[in-house]
Structures are given as C-alpha cells and as structure tokens.
Amino acid sequence: MLLVVSIDGATPELVERLTSTGQMPALRSLMRHGVYGRLQSAANTDPICAWSSVLTGVNPGKHGVWALHNLVPKSYQWRAANSRMLRVPSLSQLLADRGRSVGTFFVPMTYPAPEAEWVTVSGWLAPSSDDEAFAYPRRVRDLVRRSLKESPLHVDARHHAAAGSYEDGVEEAVAALRAKASVAEKLLDDGRWDVFAISFSELGRILRWYWHLFDRNHLDFRDDLHAAHGKLLTVIHREIDAVIGRLLDLLGPDDQVLVISPYGTSLNSRVASCLPELMAYLGLLRTRSSARGWWHSVATGVSRGAHDFLSVIREVLPEGIAEMLPESEDDDDRRGNSEDAWLDYERSSVIPAPGGQMHLNLMSEFPLGCVDPGQVDRLKLQVIGALQTAIDPATGRRPLEWAQPRERVCSGPYVDRIPHIVTRWRSPHVVTGLTATGLDGRVRVARPSGGHFPSGTPGAEGIIVAAGAGIRRGARIEGARVEDITATIMYLAGEGVPGYLDGRVLEQAVTQRWRADHPIRIFDRSLPRVVEDHARIEEASRAVEACIGGPGEEP
C-alpha cells in the first residue's frame, strides 16, 4: 500500500527547524530513513490550483482551474472552484480504471464527491459533512459523519484570529486533526488499499491567520502577542507529527509513505490589494462612479459572483467609505451581471483577479471587451513594465519577483481561462504601497486596502518526504513539482504513466535496484477531455460559495 499524507501549508523552513530540534520526531525519522525535498507549488501558489495539478498531473492550461475563484469564460462572473471543473481525469480515476483500490480523504478539490469506483471524502470546499455530495459511498459518508460529529470539518481560524482567541483556534484544529486521524485509522483497518490519501488542512488554516504571531517582519507582530501565543506554532506542528506517527504505525514492511504539502505559507505582503489602484493610476482601469471612489467600484466589481458582495466590501473599505455603499438589491447583483458592475468594463483595459493576477479585457474574450487584438502585446508590456518598476516607498525595494504572459507559464486547451499576466511577489514585509507614474506624469502611491486580511499567504514551496520499500535512505530530492505527484504515485503503485502528463516520475526517490525491477512505463495517450456539464458545475459552485464566499473574501 502507498499511504499519501498531505500537510497543507507546511513550510520548508519551519519543518526543517522543528525536525532538527526534535519537535517533529515522526517526520524526522521519515526524512532520515527516506528522501526529503522541497516541492514547487503552482505558478500562482494558489492552493486550489496546486491541488488541481496534484490530482491530475497537468498544468492549469490543461486541467482548467486557476484559483479558488475563476472567471466564467465569455463573462465577468466569478465562479467558485469545485471538482466538476477539472477537465482531465483525476489520479483516482486513472488508478481505479486499472483495478486499483483507491481512497481520498479530506483532500481539497474533491467536492462534490463523484459516485464512482473509488472512495472519496471531500475536504476543503465541501460546505459541511451533512452535504449529500460530501462523500461516496454512503457507508463511508455515514462513518465519517459519526466520527466528525463533535469536530469541525473546517477550522475557522479567521474568526479566532479576529477575536484574539488564538488558543481556542488551535484547540479546534487539534480536535479536527485527531478526529480525521481516527477516521483514517478505521478506514485503513476496514480493508486493503492500494493507494490511501488523506489531507490535513488545519495547519495551513492556522498558519495563514496566525502568521503575525511569530514573524517579526509582519506589521502586526507584537512582542506581547508573541510571548503569549508564539508557542502555538510548535503545538500545532507537534500535533501534526503525532497524527503522522499514528498512521505510520498501521503500515507494514512492504508499504510506502509519501508526505507532501502542495504549497507552503509565507508573510502576506498585501501587494495584491494595491494593484487595482495602481492600474487606475495608469488609466487602465475605470469605474462607473468616480464620486464613490475607485475602491468602492473596484472592490465591488472584483467580488461579483459571490454571496453578499456588499458585506465583503464593507469589511475591506475604510469605515467612512463603507457607509456610502448602497444596500444589495437583488440576486442579479451577486451573480456578476456586467451592466450593474461598478467597474466600467467598457473603458477598462485590465480586470484584476484575486492574488494579484491580471486579465486583459479583450474584445475576443469578454462581452464588453475594449482591447483590440492588435493592442495586446503593447498592453502586456505596459502592465508588466509598471509592475517591474513599482517600488515600496518605505523600503525603496521592488517587491515583484516576476511577471509573465500566461503562455509562458501554462499551456493547453484551457489556457484562455488563465489571467493574461501572471505575477509572483517576494516582499518580506507588508508593503506600504506601490509607486506608479500616472497619466498626468506625477508619481503616485497605490496603497493596500484596509480590512481584516490574513497575515500569512500561500507560499511557493511545500515539502515532499518519501520512505518505505524501494525508497532511498537519507537522500535529497531536487526540483520536485506538484505536477510530479500523479506520475510518481502511479509509478509506485505499479502502473504505467500516461504520456499527456506534465509531471515526471521522481526517479531520484527510489533505489537503483527498484528502478531495475520496476522500469518506468510510459504509454502514449492523447490528452483526454472531460465533458463540461455547466448546470452541474454551477450547482456545485453555488454550494461552495455559500460556504466560503466570493473573491473579495479571505476564507
């Protein structure tokens, strides 16, 4: 059996420090008796994009999911991600089609659970364990519901951080970890599995909202908070390690284990919230009502297609401006109809996307597009140039790591669903703003928006650890990517690898003898297509939105 354990949000620097000091003995033992390396996340570091690549072995241009919220093609409507949006078969389907016994438990991007030959218990994005599409088959769903009766499916770290009840949040996370580990133990005893995958999201949730408790570079770091709550960082990591130890005790000598985190966690510099204003200064983003202020317009437009978008904007706007917002009128406002958008699409050349990415408002791709195809290359150069030269006035540094056209980051039939300009930022501090030279020739500063934002954000590197039969001992893995996980799991399960995958088998993880006895088999197969059922996709999206909100929110 191959046991796959994901520790969402686990950060290499923290894991390496805590394992070296003996705070995570189970993981330290795996690293010593197996292989360890850093795992490159998706280009945009979005957890949903990263997980979609883990589950399919391809880049977002092929699987069709870019982020937690995605623009519906040919519209300005935002749609929450769900498993029905994946445009290629999942790893579970590939293995089940070859007669393998497969189960995925609490893994993101598996809601709604498909009624198929494999077992699925949905993770992040599932509204609740009471949802009918939470798990399949029914007997597993009933078992999990009973086991989680006293524990949350998703930890509300945001609430605890806002209330200052940090210990309560970690206690909630620990209870959820233990309950999910108990589910795994019961299911592992219940039958023989070829591949058993379980994901724990609790660490990532805590790190994202508690990052300021221990990172002195964060604007909200305080010595008193660190002294009172900084130890919680160690507590949650030790609990994760204890859960891993419990699962390892169930393995036999011929079994293998793969521990991953598809993304890490880092300081949230809040650069992305500066970009709409930056684009407005450049004359590339226009609003319908200048009297209301650009943030009123942009924030409302960006958060369309989500539930109750006005409440989202009130949270991120300064109090005085928030009071100027009108009440929501009808459901059409929430579904992102362009005619009611505060963002003036007919005069805006760019459409900001969550995470600091940029769509170009092309005539050929959007109903009110104003960018002629002949202007695309010039516009890309203008936007990328502005991002590259933008400076944080407090430090004099340029926080942009890189900005690339989407064609250089992804490839495939669904590349048109990806923002035209993909960015990555590297500021070790919360920025005070970004400079831009406006249309009037004056240098202006685009400031971060206000509101309650997480102090951490998904990071570009996670971890990968492997141990067991055929795995090298004490070795280091270099250059591993999230797309490599599907190919590597199929190989370790004894199956051939489809030729359309973007990922490769991580041969450096296994011994020479294992490679000789188990040669890699690549079979030719053209990229398969999963037929889109728009009604079922939209149904699932609405269920997810009811749980997590829209792109103006930070779940």
Side-chain angles (χ1 to χ4, degrees), residues 64-368:
V65 178
W66 176 246
L68 176 58
H69 294 95
N70 304 265
L71 274 179
V72 177
K74 304 294 183 181
S75 79
Y76 298 108
Q77 177 183 328
W78 295 96
R79 174 183 286 160
N82 59 81
S83 65
R84 292 171 181 166
M85 292 173 64
L86 292 173
R87 303 273 52 85
V88 293
S90 69
L91 171 63
S92 295
Q93 181 175 340
L94 292 174
L95 290 170
D97 287 348
R98 288 156 180 79
R100 297 292 184 171
S101 177
V102 185
T104 61
F105 303 91
F106 310 112
V107 171
M109 270 304 286
T110 57
Y111 174 85
E115 298 182 5
E117 295 79 14
W118 60 91
V119 176
T120 302
V121 175
S122 300
W124 188 40
L125 299 187
S128 75
S129 57
D130 292 327
D131 191 281
E132 286 301 308
F134 164 64
Y136 183 85
R138 180 182 293 274
R139 64 175 182 82
V140 174
R141 185 175 67 209
D142 294 343
L143 183 153
V144 175
R145 282 177 176 172
R146 291 193 300 269
S147 300
L148 297 182
K149 189 174 183 180
E150 305 298 329
S151 300
L153 179 61
H154 308 303
V155 175
D156 191 358
R158 173 182 181 170
H159 165 77
H160 291 295
S165 54
Y166 298 107
E167 280 82 1
D168 292 344
V170 171
E171 288 180 8
E172 186 177 293
V174 168
L177 283 168
R178 293 175 178 175
K180 291 176 181 178
S182 295
V183 169
E185 289 172 326
K186 293 174 184 176
L187 291 168
L188 284 168
D189 285 338
D190 189 42
R192 182 63 185 175
W193 303 86
D194 293 309
V195 177
F196 186 103
I198 183 167
S199 175
F200 297 101
S201 62
E202 288 72 21
L203 176 64
R205 304 298 301 153
I206 292 296
L207 288 180
R208 192 173 188 195
W209 287 96
Y210 287 28
W211 194 263
H212 62 286
L213 295 180
F214 54 87
D215 190 338
R216 294 181 180 275
N217 289 325
H218 197 278
L219 191 66
D220 295 332
F221 177 86
R222 286 168 34 192
D223 287 323
D224 58 331
L225 285 178
H226 176 71
H229 310 295
K231 64 181 183 299
L232 296 176
L233 172 71
T234 302
V235 170
I236 188 68
H237 278 87
R238 291 174 68 174
E239 189 63 36
I240 281 282
D241 189 76
V243 164
I244 293 174
R246 287 170 57 180
L247 298 179
L248 292 179
D249 289 340
L250 302 175
L251 300 184
D254 296 327
D255 293 331
Q256 299 160 319
V257 60
L258 181 65
V259 179
I260 64 171
S261 60
Y263 59 94
T265 309
S266 60
L267 178 143
N268 184 2
S269 68
R270 292 174 59 182
V271 169
S273 68
C274 300
L275 298 185
E277 186 177 7
L278 189 77
M279 293 297 106
Y281 287 154
L282 297 174
L284 301 177
L285 184 148
R286 307 279 185 174
T287 62
R288 289 186 180 276
S289 174
S290 59
R292 296 286 184 125
W294 71 270
W295 247 122
H296 173 105
S297 308
V298 172
T300 306
V302 168
S303 42
R304 344 195 30 86
H307 79 174
D308 200 359
F309 65 91
L310 287 175
S311 66
V312 173
I313 302 164
R314 287 192 180 94
E315 184 172 342
V316 302
L317 288 177
E319 182 176 354
I321 299 177
E323 292 174 351
M324 300 171 64
L325 291 175
E327 294 298 319
S328 177
E329 295 179 358
D330 53 44
D331 287 341
D332 286 340
D333 287 334
R334 296 197 296 271
R335 299 316 307 164
N337 286 348
S338 59
E339 63 268 24
D340 293 327
W342 290 103
L343 185 64
D344 189 342
Y345 294 111
E346 293 177 295
R347 297 192 301 143
S348 293
S349 299
V350 300
I351 305 169
Q357 322 303 325
M358 293 288 172
H359 290 276
L360 303 185
N361 195 16
L362 303 186
M363 294 178 177
S364 58
E365 294 187 18
F366 292 99
L368 300 177

